[in-house]
Amino acid sequence: MKIKSIHIKNVRGIKDRTIELNMIPNKPSLLVAPNGSGKSSFAFAFQWLNRLRMKLSADDAYMGDVNNKPSMAIETIDPNEILVADENKNEINRKFGIYV
């Protein structure tokens, strides 16, 4: 199974961004980008995933507004599927273990 892309909304400095990865699980991967491009916000999105849902502290909500509801979607290849985590559910934990 390959991770094709990760879509993150409303986490820290990320309003709405899709990151194309074509990453193979259980293989080393690096995320390299210039300062201010959202690497830390990307990591925080994963940090706030729990077994049941995605829940941010007010400090980590986009623009500091808790009304900006966070979400994440991981699109995989082989099988082709989209797994979603938001304030109500976490489908991502059915397929992936997350450690930040």
Side-chain angles (χ1 to χ4, degrees), residues 46 49-54 72 74 82-86 89-98:
F46 282 95
L49 279 177
N50 67 35
R51 190 175 58 79
L52 300 175
R53 65 182 183 272
M54 185 174 195
M72 178 187 301
I74 295 179
I82 298 175
L83 305 166
V84 176
D86 60 25
K89 65 182 177 288
N90 182 357
E91 299 170 345
I92 294 169
N93 74 338
R94 287 187 290 148
K95 298 277 182 165
F96 297 102
I98 306 293

Side-chain angles (χ1 to χ4, degrees), residues 9-75:
K9 290 177 74 172
N10 295 324
V11 177
R12 283 191 147 204
I14 298 175
K15 178 176 173 64
D16 189 351
R17 180 175 287 167
T18 300
I19 299 125
E20 299 291 330
L21 295 171
N22 292 318
M23 191 167 81
I24 300 169
N26 301 319
K27 299 284 183 180
S29 299
L30 296 173
L31 182 61
V32 179
N35 289 343
S37 62
K39 298 179 304 289
S40 295
S41 297
F42 182 83
F44 269 97
F46 282 95
Q47 180 177 327
W48 288 107
L49 279 177
N50 67 35
R51 190 175 58 79
L52 300 175
R53 65 182 183 272
M54 185 174 195
K55 183 176 179 181
L56 297 177
S57 71
D59 291 341
D60 291 323
Y62 180 70
M63 303 289 288
D65 185 350
V66 295
N67 294 312
N68 290 326
K69 303 300 181 190
S71 68
M72 178 187 301
I74 295 179
E75 183 177 358

